Amino acid sequence: MRQPRLPKDRSGPARTQRGFTLIEAMVALIVLSVGLLGIAAMYVETLRANRTSLYRTQAVALAADIADRMRANRAPANAYACGAPCDPSAGANAIADADLAQWMNTIAARLPNGSADVAFTAPGANTPAAYVVTLSWTQVGQDDPVAYQLRVEI
């Protein structure tokens, strides 16, 4: 059995929707802009992390540099103990004084507000003589300084 036909609305041609409405386009634009803001925030955080890792790498290289100098110039045993903050003229011989002065100049050039101290621990019955090298610097946006410490046994 057939269904009876309903009369068509003869007031105008049938309207079919094509394309996007203005509201749909605006919603898509808002979603896109939120996504782009997220990408920009991640980019800024990546730059900050890269700067932090660069300074930490510089600190590791600088600590290794003074450790190599300590191993090359062992006499007297506490030649590189310069206190906190490090005073380059506090070295126990001329080579240590020159090494510490050059090292402190390099720290000032490579680390923002960089400072260092070198402490000496005399050998004990079961422990060798050791230096503790501490480098510190400030990071942008942080109140507390960042520090790196290296223990060098001689």
Side-chain angles (χ1 to χ4, degrees):
M1 186 163 174
R2 283 190 184 179
Q3 294 277 341
R5 284 189 180 179
L6 296 174
K8 289 186 178 180
D9 183 13
R10 305 258 183 214
S11 61
R15 298 181 77 186
T16 58
Q17 182 178 0
R18 293 186 182 177
F20 294 102
T21 64
L22 183 60
I23 293 176
E24 289 172 331
M26 290 176 68
V27 168
L29 187 60
I30 289 171
V31 169
L32 179 66
S33 63
V34 167
L36 290 176
L37 283 174
I39 290 171
M42 285 180 17
Y43 181 72
V44 168
E45 188 61 31
T46 301
L47 290 176
R48 186 175 300 129
N50 283 341
R51 185 177 47 236
T52 300
S53 67
L54 173 68
Y55 292 148
R56 187 162 299 276
T57 301
Q58 291 291 333
V60 169
L62 289 166
D65 176 47
I66 198 67
D68 289 341
R69 293 172 191 240
M70 290 173 185
R71 289 184 190 104
N73 182 25
R74 294 182 183 212
N78 65 346
Y80 288 87
C82 62
C86 188
D87 177 17
S89 63
N93 64 32
I95 295 173
D97 287 347
D99 286 346
L100 287 170
Q102 183 181 14
W103 184 62
M104 290 302 294
N105 288 337
T106 306
I107 288 171
R110 292 188 183 174
L111 296 176
N113 296 325
S115 65
D117 64 77
V118 179
F120 178 75
T121 304
N126 296 325
T127 59
Y131 286 100
V132 176
V133 178
T134 305
L135 291 114
S136 59
W137 65 96
T138 57
Q139 293 279 18
V140 175
Q142 291 185 359
D143 295 332
D144 298 328
V146 180
Y148 174 75
Q149 196 170 66
L150 176 68
R151 180 179 167 84
V152 181
E153 294 181 354
I154 302 295

